[in-house]
């Protein structure tokens, strides 16, 4: 009788251990901190008085005030525009000739929307990356484009896109400070998905009169087996052994009777 009770106990414990690869990772997810984002970030000091920094600001943060014509095309716009190809062709013509017209109602609506959110247009995949100040007139039927310098684009990017450190929330300041503290060496700072300000990165931040450019430094793929899953597999293995031992003990008890 005692052997049967022991066999039953071993079987119950084994059955509890077998699904460990399923419930241990779920338990770990429920009790562990939120996961980290896929990028680590570093900050560097930049200045509008330095030409290389001007190029860096435009290249890394210029989307705050500009759009590349390739983003308008049907392949990249993901349904954002009503007439993407016509809109792109109109912008490209304006960049080449200075002005362009379109009679397509959809393109006119697209051009008005683009002008509301952007001041400059360029072609990131062109032979040379020239920026143009563009305007939309006559209800979207007329587009005018004029060459501008990178300095002007950088000035506008900082003026409209840079965050003031003093105006950030305490939580956002802490995220920025962690990036700044970890930028001198190592792999930068990799924030968690729920950290304040992480949804605005990359970003320009002005702190105490110094302009910092925060950009992605490395990309991390969190693939592979998690610790909880590995432990769960081990526990499941123990459970399988316990079931076998329990079965053997029960067989011995039955044979003795």
């Amino acid at each position: 009788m005692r052997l049967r009770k022991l066999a039953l106990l071993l079987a119950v414990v084994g059955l509890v251990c077998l699904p460990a690869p399923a419930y241990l990772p779920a338990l770990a997810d429920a009790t562990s901190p939120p996961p980290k984002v896929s990028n680590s970030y570093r900050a560097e000091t930049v200045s509008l008085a330095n030409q290389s920094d001007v190029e860096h600001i435009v290249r890394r943060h210029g989307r705050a005030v500009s759009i590349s014509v390739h983003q308008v095309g049907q392949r990249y716009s993901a349904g954002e525009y009503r007439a993407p190809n016509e809109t792109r062709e109109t912008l490209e013509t304006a960049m080449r000739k200075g002005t362009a017209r379109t009679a397509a109602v959809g393109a006119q609506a697209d051009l008005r929307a683009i002008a509301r959110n952007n001041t400059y247009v360029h072609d990131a995949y062109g032979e040379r990356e020239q920026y143009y100040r563009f305007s939309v007139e006559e209800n979207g039927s007329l587009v005018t484009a004029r060459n501008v310098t990178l300095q002007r684009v950088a000035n506008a990017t900082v003026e409209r896109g840079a965050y003031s450190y003093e105006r950030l929330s305490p939580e956002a300041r802490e995220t920025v400070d962690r990036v700044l503290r970890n930028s001198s060496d190592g792999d930068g700072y990799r924030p968690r998905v729920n950290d304040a300000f992480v949804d605005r990165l990359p970003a320009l931040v002005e702190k105490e009169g110094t302009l910092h450019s925060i950009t992605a430094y490395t990309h991390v793929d969190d693939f592979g087996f998690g610790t909880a899953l590995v432990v769960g597999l081990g526990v499941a293995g123990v459970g399988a052994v316990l079931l076998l031992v329990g079965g053997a003990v029960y067989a011995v008890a039955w044979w003795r009777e």
Side-chain angles (χ1 to χ4, degrees):
M1 189 66 179
R2 293 174 60 185
L3 286 178
R4 287 191 176 186
K5 288 183 178 180
L6 177 60
L8 179 61
L9 177 62
L10 291 173
V12 170
V13 175
L15 288 173
V16 172
C17 292
L18 275 181
Y23 63 74
L24 282 184
L27 181 62
D29 289 341
T31 57
S32 62
K36 294 184 177 182
V37 299
S38 58
N39 291 323
S40 67
Y41 292 89
R42 294 184 71 174
E44 58 182 296
T45 302
V46 292
S47 170
L48 288 171
N50 186 301
Q51 182 58 33
S52 62
D53 288 347
V54 166
E55 295 173 0
H56 170 91
I57 291 170
V58 173
R59 183 175 65 255
R60 295 299 186 93
H61 306 284
R63 286 191 175 187
V65 296
S66 66
I67 187 171
S68 173
V69 289
H70 84 274
Q71 297 173 252
V72 183
Q74 188 169 4
R75 180 179 179 182
Y76 295 95
S77 59
E80 182 178 356
Y81 301 106
R82 295 171 59 181
N85 293 334
E86 175 72 21
T87 302
R88 175 175 180 168
E89 291 174 4
T90 304
L91 288 172
E92 289 176 334
T93 301
M95 291 164 62
R96 288 195 311 270
K97 299 182 177 180
T99 60
R101 286 187 174 274
T102 178
V105 175
Q108 293 175 3
D110 291 341
L111 290 166
R112 292 195 301 269
I114 293 172
R116 282 195 297 269
N117 299 315
N118 302 275
T119 303
Y120 305 99
V121 63
H122 66 110
D123 186 356
Y125 296 100
E127 294 182 359
R128 64 190 187 96
E129 197 168 354
Q130 174 65 53
Y131 281 75
Y132 300 83
R133 172 71 182 262
F134 80 103
S135 60
V136 176
E137 304 171 17
E138 299 180 13
N139 201 35
S141 62
L142 175 63
V143 178
T144 302
R146 297 289 182 267
N147 290 351
V148 293
T149 63
L150 287 182
Q151 183 72 56
R152 178 170 292 186
V153 180
N155 291 344
T157 300
V158 172
E159 180 181 349
R160 302 180 199 175
Y163 293 92
S164 170
Y165 178 86
E166 288 72 21
R167 295 181 180 179
L168 296 177
S169 67
E171 296 78 12
R173 292 182 190 178
E174 178 60 27
T175 299
V176 171
D177 287 338
R178 288 175 180 173
V179 175
L180 296 179
R181 286 196 299 267
N182 289 277
S183 294
S184 57
D185 52 20
D187 294 328
Y189 175 66
R190 189 181 175 200
R192 297 194 180 276
V193 294
N194 65 335
D195 282 355
F197 200 70
V198 70
D199 57 328
R200 306 180 204 178
L201 298 177
L204 289 167
V205 178
E206 185 175 7
K207 180 181 180 181
E208 298 175 353
T210 300
L211 187 63
H212 301 277
S213 169
I214 301 176
T215 56
Y217 180 65
T218 59
H219 181 81
V220 181
D221 291 319
D222 289 326
F223 296 132
F225 296 106
T227 302
L229 178 59
V230 174
V231 173
L233 291 172
V235 173
V238 172
V241 172
L242 291 177
L243 282 174
L244 291 174
V245 173
V249 171
Y250 184 85
V252 170
W254 178 82
W255 180 76
R256 286 185 176 182
E257 292 179 0

